[in-house]
Amino acid sequence: MLIGYQRTSTLDQNLDLQRDALKQAGCERIFSDQVSGAKFDRPGLNEALKFTREGDCICVWRLDRLGRSLQHLIEVVADLESRGGALKSLTENIDTLSAGGRLVFHVFAAMAEFERNLTRERCLAGLAAARARGRTGGRRQVLTGPKLELAKKLRADRTMPADEACQILGCSRSTFYKATG
């Protein structure tokens, strides 16, 4: 069975274009949502997925109507495939029932994983470079013990500017003022 899913981002937008394309493609049942694609809770999509049985195919006008992100799209297709279902996108001409459609979809998935790995590597390299320059990241240490006593003396004396006191103590202005009241 070919099951249609259509979505618009707002109530102001019209579903007619998607509905007409899905009907023309032969969808016997069409589920709808009128919410942002970024929303996790999409009742129409949840219903369509629950309705799908082995051998069924969820059909969308465009891939961006189905997934919040490429990662979410991959998860939806993996779920469909694990239950013996498939995905068909009319605009991108992808049909995971065919070997070629599965290949194209999995190339997209591999590229998304590659991009995530590159982002992770860049992030780790940036953190290592910052550590090499003496930056550790995270929150500043709270002033305690001798540093706290020195901070209180410097604040009470008021002969030294706060910025200079912070440099000596190795803390931010907000930490200095929080510690010295």
Side-chain angles (χ1 to χ4, degrees):
M1 174 183 237
L2 199 56
I3 300 163
Y5 174 71
Q6 59 187 5
R7 180 186 64 78
T8 60
S9 299
T10 66
L11 293 173
D12 298 340
Q13 294 174 328
N14 194 318
L15 291 167
D16 291 345
L17 171 72
Q18 294 178 58
R19 185 179 301 113
D20 292 346
L22 293 172
K23 283 183 179 179
Q24 186 175 2
C27 292
E28 297 175 43
R29 179 100 188 254
I30 298 175
F31 295 88
S32 302
D33 279 318
Q34 288 193 287
V35 296
S36 168
K39 298 286 183 190
F40 285 96
D41 184 34
R42 292 194 272 164
L45 177 58
N46 294 338
E47 274 186 67
L49 292 171
K50 285 179 190 170
F51 185 80
T52 304
R53 302 289 176 247
E54 188 171 344
D56 289 348
C57 182
I58 290 190
C59 181
V60 292
W61 177 63
R62 273 187 12 199
L63 288 175
D64 69 344
R65 302 293 86 198
L66 181 62
R68 293 188 310 270
S69 63
L70 188 52
Q71 180 61 36
H72 179 249
L73 193 60
I74 292 165
E75 291 168 7
V76 169
V77 171
D79 178 51
L80 279 171
E81 286 180 347
S82 72
R83 295 186 290 129
L87 171 70
K88 182 175 186 173
S89 172
L90 301 175
T91 305
E92 288 89 1
N93 202 21
I94 293 175
D95 185 348
T96 62
L97 283 172
S98 71
R102 278 193 304 279
L103 172 66
V104 169
F105 188 80
H106 287 290
V107 166
F108 284 166
M111 291 178 73
E113 183 178 351
F114 176 69
E115 184 180 347
R116 278 193 309 278
N117 288 336
L118 282 179
T119 301
R120 183 176 182 277
E121 287 174 9
R122 283 192 301 263
C123 183
L124 291 174
L127 290 170
R131 267 188 235 105
R133 289 190 306 276
R135 304 234 8 201
T136 55
R139 293 184 178 196
R140 295 273 181 173
Q141 191 174 14
V142 176
L143 297 178
T144 57
K147 279 191 173 184
L148 178 59
E149 294 306 316
L150 178 58
K152 287 180 180 178
K153 286 179 186 175
L154 292 173
R155 178 85 191 266
D157 188 19
R158 298 193 188 274
T159 58
M160 184 180 296
D163 287 335
E164 197 174 323
C166 292
Q167 196 170 20
I168 291 169
L169 294 166
C171 69
S172 67
R173 287 177 63 115
S174 63
T175 300
F176 177 72
Y177 285 123
K178 284 178 189 174
T180 59

